Amino acid sequence: MKYTHWDVGGFEREVAVTLCENGVNPLVSVLLASRGITDISDVQAVIGMAPVQFHDPYLMADMDKAVARIDKALKNKERIAIYGDYDVDGMTASVILALWLKSKGADFEIYIPGRSEEGYGLNCAALEELKSQDIGLVVTVDCGITAFEEAEYAKKLGLGLVITDHHECREELPNADAVVDPKRPDCNYPFKSLAGVGVAFKLVCALEKDYLSDEILDKYCELVAVGTVADVMQVTGENRDLIKRGLNVLGKNTRPGLNQLLIEAGGDISTVTTSTIGFMLAPRLNAAGRMGTPMLSVDLLLTKSPDEAKRLAAKLCKLNTERRNLEIDIFEQANAMLQDKKPDGPIVLCESTWYQGVTGIVAAKLADRYRLPAIIISVEDGIGRGSCRSFGSFNIYRSLCSCADILESFGGHEMAAGVTVREDKIEELRSRIKKEYEKHVEGGASLGLRLDFEVEKPKLLILPNVEALSDLEPFGSGNPAPCLCMTGVKLISVESIGAGKHSRLRIEKAGKKMDCIYFSMPAESLGVKEGMDVDIAFEPQVNEFRGKTNVQLQLQDIRPAAL
């Protein structure tokens, strides 16, 4: 088993029957009933039948001030700097604002800080450099909400500063011309889960004085979709509508850079989904930031030239391969340090040769493999910069708070964080994190798999029913893809595929045979054998291969059936 336990939901049959009688597909009816959706009007909202509702951007605190300051900069022909982040959310947000400023004939530049040299967010050295380039106004996207010292320094330099962000706020706000963040305590904007790119888009809507224009939506929504999905934001409310519209536009080949990147990655532009963004586009766009060249992705998103798009996409894919090789190398070194044995507490490893841009990915892979929180630290000149990933219910951010006295800086949330620590304090950090783990996690961290419901009759999984699940897309955080289970199925056959990395299985229950695929799980690691009765957890999918379409179950876990 990959998961320590399965949390299987249920559903009220009467509700499912009522939904079905109102024209909802049988499988969709059961799924919605299991998720607590009981009213037909709520169903219409979920499956996209209800009218789209976008909120007025001026409901955000300080939006009027932000618009006034940017309008003033345009009127006075000030040079404007867009200050973004080096991840996909920050890069797409930067590009949206850049496209709008370009359409107004503004004199502007995009500034993305170097991940290794400068780190996340505003920094005073960058502000000083921008001032020397005659910049009059800095507009942040996807960063700045905790930039207190930097905001004061901007005032000292005579720089205008408009902050747009979506991260959690403290009680105090930076002293800027405007601070736009839907998570401000005094902000009346009704939807709080916008990504940084969503806030930047809302700024453009406010600047245009029109937030319902199809022209504005179609011009920017694919960038909003890419940034929002890549940042794993909630696929609910306004985000869901923006993503859905963005996916439709992505399929029309309107942006050469994204089109060429998808082709270079081996994807199909005609069937773009949130998975396409999450597994094909986002890793390659992120590779530029991780490898210290974030403007490569920005240039790709901005270009109108198919030839340049093809060149940049090939370069990004090559960079992503280099990133992956670095990640594999560091992951193998870390496993060697651990001697491939599970430690007795959180993993805290450091090395001077490790490239900081991929430590977060390595930490995540170690946490998943050993089922423990992991902190991977790159040390240079006596200072360690680390990426932290949690596992199970352990709150990694809270544990860092308890170690604040020995840390240079830290930030993040309960499942992921970044930390800066002196090299001579790393051993103490390891010891104190272990104590925090022992205090808060009884008997070791567990990882449960949330399942919507158990399929008792396999005939529910016929092709038309599984195809109907697409009405619930886009899937993502807050609206996960359906994950179901069946118990007591016969395992007819199992084989390794994909150079031994994956497994293909065939199962049977109640006379119905079905094909299954289990990615990143070799046959010898399944813990089950042909002929056994097993329980399976899976996502039902439509598989198209060589002109044939059938239902395939993508396994999430498998275990011997209970006696």
Side-chain angles (χ1 to χ4, degrees):
M1 286 179 64
K2 179 179 178 181
Y3 294 88
T4 56
H5 60 280
W6 296 358
D7 298 322
V8 185
F11 62 94
E12 293 186 25
R13 294 185 183 277
E14 295 80 4
V15 171
V17 169
T18 299
L19 295 179
C20 195
E21 289 175 346
N22 278 274
V24 181
N25 174 272
L27 179 56
V28 174
S29 294
V30 175
L31 180 68
L32 293 177
S34 75
R35 294 186 176 184
I37 298 171
T38 61
D39 189 89
I40 194 66
S41 61
D42 294 331
V43 172
Q44 291 173 344
V46 170
I47 64 178
M49 294 168 61
V52 174
Q53 292 187 344
F54 294 116
H55 305 300
D56 186 343
Y58 281 96
L59 292 173
M60 286 192 199
D62 272 12
M63 183 63 83
D64 55 342
K65 295 179 182 178
V67 169
R69 183 62 185 88
I70 293 170
D71 281 344
K72 177 184 175 184
L74 293 174
K75 181 180 178 180
N76 295 337
K77 300 190 182 302
E78 293 180 74
R79 290 200 73 217
I80 300 172
I82 303 166
Y83 197 111
D85 187 23
Y86 40 67
D87 69 358
V88 179
D89 188 17
M91 291 186 286
T92 50
S94 298
V95 168
I96 282 179
L97 190 53
L99 289 171
W100 186 84
L101 288 173
K102 184 177 181 181
S103 73
K104 301 304 175 184
D107 184 4
F108 70 94
E109 69 170 87
I110 298 174
Y111 187 92
I112 310 285
R115 188 183 198 114
S116 299
E117 319 90 78
E118 299 176 82
Y120 169 78
L122 283 170
N123 68 81
C124 293
L127 291 173
E128 195 167 341
E129 173 64 22
L130 291 171
K131 178 65 177 178
S132 72
Q133 297 174 17
D134 296 323
I135 294 294
L137 173 64
V138 175
V139 182
T140 76
V141 290
D142 193 32
C143 63
I145 197 62
T146 59
F148 304 103
E149 177 186 341
E150 293 79 6
E152 294 298 338
Y153 193 66
K155 284 201 174 297
K156 182 180 177 182
L157 292 173
L159 277 172
L161 178 62
V162 169
I163 292 172
T164 74
D165 203 345
H166 73 121
H167 293 101
E168 295 293 340
C169 303
R170 300 178 187 175
E171 290 186 12
E172 181 186 2
L173 295 174
N175 184 17
D177 294 289
V179 179
V180 179
D181 187 328
K183 290 181 179 172
R184 279 180 57 164
D186 61 340
C187 183
N188 294 321
Y189 197 77
F191 186 68
K192 304 295 184 181
S193 297
L194 289 172
V197 68
V199 178
F201 172 69
K202 286 295 178 176
L203 173 63
V204 167
C205 290
L207 286 161
E208 283 286 347
K209 313 295 190 295
D210 186 354
Y211 65 96
L212 293 176
S213 163
D214 284 335
E215 182 182 355
I216 295 173
L217 285 165
D218 287 342
K219 186 174 182 179
Y220 302 113
C221 63
E222 81 275 36
L223 292 168
V224 179
V226 170
T228 301
V229 173
D231 220 43
V232 199
M233 301 304 296
Q234 292 279 311
V235 186
T236 57
E238 201 166 18
N239 279 348
R240 188 174 189 276
D241 292 331
L242 286 167
I243 291 168
K244 195 162 190 174
R245 188 160 187 146
L247 291 175
N248 289 333
V249 173
L250 270 168
K252 297 176 181 176
N253 307 335
T254 57
R255 198 165 297 280
L258 289 173
N259 183 31
Q260 287 297 327
L261 184 59
L262 186 55
I263 292 170
E264 189 74 25
D268 183 356
I269 195 69
S270 66
T271 55
V272 180
T273 66
T274 51
S275 293
T276 307
I277 295 173
F279 295 105
M280 286 190 167
L281 295 177
R284 288 162 176 82
L285 291 169
N286 259 330
R290 293 188 182 281
M291 302 298 283
T293 56
M295 288 305 296
L296 181 61
S297 288
V298 171
D299 291 341
L300 178 87
L301 294 171
L302 283 171
T303 187
K304 292 182 177 180
S305 165
D307 290 338
E308 184 183 19
K310 190 173 182 179
R311 178 182 64 81
L312 292 172
K315 200 169 181 179
L316 263 182
C317 287
K318 182 180 178 183
L319 202 62
N320 188 53
T321 300
E322 293 174 12
R323 183 273 305 167
R324 192 183 297 118
N325 291 336
L326 266 175
E327 166 201 322
I328 292 170
D329 184 46
I330 297 174
F331 182 67
E332 290 176 349
Q333 290 180 47
N335 281 315
M337 288 180 176
L338 296 170
Q339 299 180 330
D340 284 326
K341 296 178 181 178
K342 185 173 180 177
D344 60 358
I347 298 166
V348 181
L349 300 176
C350 63
E351 180 57 65
S352 61
T353 59
W354 287 347
Y355 182 69
Q356 188 189 344
V358 300
T359 54
I361 303 174
V362 174
K365 291 181 69 174
L366 288 170
D368 185 59
R369 175 167 181 168
Y370 293 99
R371 298 172 181 260
L372 287 167
I375 302 177
I376 301 301
I377 303 172
S378 175
V379 178
E380 184 177 355
D381 297 328
I383 297 293
R385 292 178 172 83
S387 294
C388 318
R389 296 295 184 270
S390 190
F391 184 87
S393 60
F394 184 63
N395 188 322
I396 194 72
Y397 181 76
R398 180 178 60 194
S399 71
L400 292 175
C401 290
S402 71
C403 303
D405 58 305
I406 62 168
L407 303 177
E408 299 300 302
S409 64
F410 67 96
H413 54 80
E414 61 183 22
M415 296 304 295
V419 63
T420 302
V421 57
R422 291 176 57 86
E423 185 176 12
D424 58 7
K425 295 291 184 181
I426 292 176
E427 186 56 44
E428 185 177 354
L429 174 64
R430 181 183 290 111
S431 174
R432 288 170 64 168
I433 289 289
K434 182 180 179 183
K435 289 179 181 177
E436 283 294 306
Y437 183 78
E438 291 170 345
K439 183 195 304 184
H440 294 288
V441 181
E442 185 177 348
S446 63
L447 183 62
L449 177 61
R450 179 73 177 90
L451 302 170
D452 288 294
F453 62 91
E454 179 181 346
V455 177
E456 296 178 357
K457 297 179 179 180
K459 65 180 182 181
L460 189 63
L461 299 174
I462 60 174
L463 183 60
N465 287 354
V466 175
E467 287 178 327
L469 292 173
S470 63
D471 292 339
L472 303 174
E473 293 183 355
F475 296 126
S477 178
N479 183 41
C483 196
L484 318 176
C485 71
M486 283 196 291
T487 60
V489 304
K490 180 69 70 177
L491 182 55
I492 300 173
S493 65
V494 57
E495 62 176 323
S496 289
I497 59 172
K501 295 179 181 179
H502 318 297
S503 297
R504 180 163 53 208
L505 308 89
R506 190 160 176 79
I507 57 99
E508 179 182 9
K509 182 172 182 178
K512 183 175 177 61
K513 296 178 181 179
M514 305 188 74
D515 295 321
C516 309
I517 187 82
Y518 200 160
F519 291 115
S520 303
M521 184 64 71
E524 62 271 15
S525 301
L526 290 172
V528 295
K529 296 180 180 179
E530 292 178 1
M532 291 179 63
D533 287 341
V534 298
D535 301 337
I536 57 172
F538 59 91
E539 294 181 10
Q541 296 179 337
V542 176
N543 181 48
E544 296 181 6
F545 184 66
R546 293 179 179 174
K548 293 184 178 181
T549 303
N550 68 323
V551 173
Q552 176 178 268
L553 310 182
Q554 183 174 319
L555 298 191
Q556 304 300 312
D557 204 1
I558 188 169
R559 67 188 184 190
L563 296 177

